[in-house]
Amino acid sequence: MPLVTSKGMLLDALEKGYAVGAFNANNLEMAQGIIQGAEEEEAPVIVQISQGGAEFAGLEEMASIVTLLANRASVPVVLHLDHGVDYAFSMKCLRAGFTSLMYDGSLHSFEKNVAVTKDVVRAGHLVGIPVEAELGQVPKDPDSCSFEELKAFMTNPEEAVSFVEKTGVDSLAISVGSMHKMKTRSATLDIERIKKIREVVDLPLVLHGSSGVTHESVQEAIEAGITKINVYTHIAKIFTMKVREILTENQGMADIRKYLAPAREEMKKEVIDKIRLFKSQGRAKGIKEVEVTPTKEETQDIIE
Ligand code: CO
Ligand code: CO
């Protein structure tokens, strides 16, 4: 089916108490593994390309691959920009056919984060595309931050209310105890903080850095209101481990199909595990498109 936006998908998850898996793809085989896994589980799915991933594989290249696979898929698929860090790049993604954007201004001051997010939201909404933003910081690397230091970067519920009001975002990535690029599953989340934010922010909440979070804590986070969960490091690790295993056992192997096919299959199994953990299996049929319409303020031309 044609690509859908993340709006209706995440609202369905919010209403029914599950989370949509948002998996990063950096090449054809990852995109195939993700979508095949979702099809086997009849799960809605978000395939996301980070700005860094687009620099690696090509933005239009990845957009074409995911769009083609989505058109053929039996489940709804969203093509999402993960960690867009500038306005100009977000516009290129809109042109390339992305159906969901993230603007990550978490390294900026609150004011600058609000200002750029608002611009991206306005542009997205004018063409019917929803936008995720980040408030608080989910550290980019576990080596750069200790769990003690992480507390200072966690999302403040009152700030979240003000951020959402000022920007008009459709979903919010929050910092509640996870970090990006963790290769061991040892972090537990601040579940009380998620509940507090959920009480005051009536939007889908997004968890980044899930690869380092214990499965039990992920389940509690979903019950507390997390509705989109990003997964990259763990599936990348599974893919790479399989390639390494095969090449270690077969030093002379040259045919790339012989190691990429098993790696894709292994990664697909992991996607299926995550879909079950997130309770999104069998939810594909319930997804309805929800139109994203700009507010009156967003349609107003800016004339000083
Ligand atoms: Co992230
Ligand atoms: Co696993």
Side-chain angles (χ1 to χ4, degrees):
M1 54 183 78
L3 286 166
V4 299
T5 77
S6 55
K7 188 77 182 181
M9 200 182 270
L10 294 182
L11 288 177
D12 190 71
L14 186 64
E15 184 192 325
K16 294 173 185 163
Y18 67 95
V20 178
F23 303 95
N24 288 69
N26 285 324
N27 62 14
L28 168 68
E29 288 76 16
M30 291 189 85
Q32 288 173 322
I34 294 162
I35 293 176
Q36 285 166 9
E39 287 190 286
E40 285 185 27
E41 292 301 299
E42 295 178 34
V45 72
I46 297 174
V47 181
Q48 51 187 25
I49 319 295
S50 66
Q51 190 162 339
E55 279 158 18
F56 163 74
L59 174 65
E60 277 146 355
E61 287 84 340
M62 287 311 299
S64 299
I65 286 170
V66 177
T67 304
L68 176 77
L69 297 176
N71 283 338
R72 289 179 182 165
S74 56
V75 294
V77 178
V78 170
L79 173 58
H80 176 77
L81 166 64
D82 185 32
H83 292 284
V85 289
D86 60 77
Y87 180 83
F89 192 77
S90 307
M91 297 308 99
K92 285 185 187 163
C93 290
L94 288 179
R95 185 175 187 218
F98 280 59
T99 55
S100 183
L101 299 177
M102 179 203 185
Y103 171 69
D104 174 6
S106 64
L107 295 179
H108 297 308
S109 67
F110 180 82
E111 290 71 27
K112 187 168 179 193
N113 190 0
V114 165
V116 186
T117 299
K118 196 176 171 188
D119 277 351
V120 176
V121 168
R122 177 172 190 252
H125 286 183
L126 288 173
V127 292
I129 301 300
V131 177
E132 169 189 334
E134 179 166 324
L135 184 69
Q137 269 180 47
V138 180
K140 310 290 179 206
D141 198 310
D143 298 331
S144 68
C145 183
S146 72
F147 277 98
E148 271 310 302
E149 290 166 325
L150 176 58
K151 289 205 175 74
F153 296 122
M154 287 194 191
T155 308
N156 173 311
E158 282 150 40
E159 242 183 24
V161 173
S162 152
F163 185 84
V164 165
E165 263 171 24
K166 289 185 160 95
T167 58
V169 280
D170 301 275
S171 59
L172 188 66
I174 54 175
S175 174
V176 287
S178 61
M179 299 194 211
H180 288 97
K181 295 193 185 144
M182 281 184 67
K183 293 184 201 74
T184 54
R185 205 174 274 294
S186 54
T188 52
L189 300 170
D190 186 342
I191 301 298
E192 285 312 309
R193 190 179 294 264
I194 299 171
K195 285 183 188 160
K196 265 186 213 144
I197 297 170
R198 181 69 195 92
E199 272 168 25
V200 290
V201 173
D202 193 22
L203 285 180
L205 300 176
V206 182
L207 178 67
H208 284 242
S210 77
S211 295
V213 181
T214 67
H215 286 172
E216 194 190 3
S217 199
V218 166
Q219 281 167 329
E220 287 170 0
I222 296 168
E223 280 162 30
I226 290 287
T227 52
K228 171 177 179 271
I229 301 181
N230 288 11
V231 185
Y232 172 59
T233 302
H234 191 63
I235 59 168
K237 181 174 145 185
I238 298 280
F239 194 105
T240 303
M241 275 169 48
K242 193 66 188 177
V243 171
R244 187 180 295 121
E245 177 196 313
I246 295 170
L247 293 183
T248 304
E249 283 167 14
N250 304 276
Q251 297 282 335
M253 186 179 276
D255 185 345
I256 68 168
R257 296 170 295 186
K258 294 232 161 72
Y259 56 85
L260 287 179
R264 176 176 58 198
E265 185 63 21
E266 208 60 23
M267 199 207 72
K268 183 192 82 181
K269 286 187 203 150
E270 187 59 34
V271 167
I272 289 173
D273 274 0
K274 288 293 156 286
I275 283 172
R276 292 181 185 168
L277 178 69
F278 302 162
K279 300 194 172 76
S280 64
Q281 75 272 35
R283 304 284 189 178
K285 281 192 193 76
I287 307 299
K288 289 178 201 78
E289 265 287 38
V290 172
E291 206 185 330
V292 175
T293 46
T295 61
K296 209 170 162 209
E297 192 198 338
E298 285 166 351
T299 58
Q300 220 101 80
D301 285 336
I302 301 159
I303 300 166
E304 297 291 334

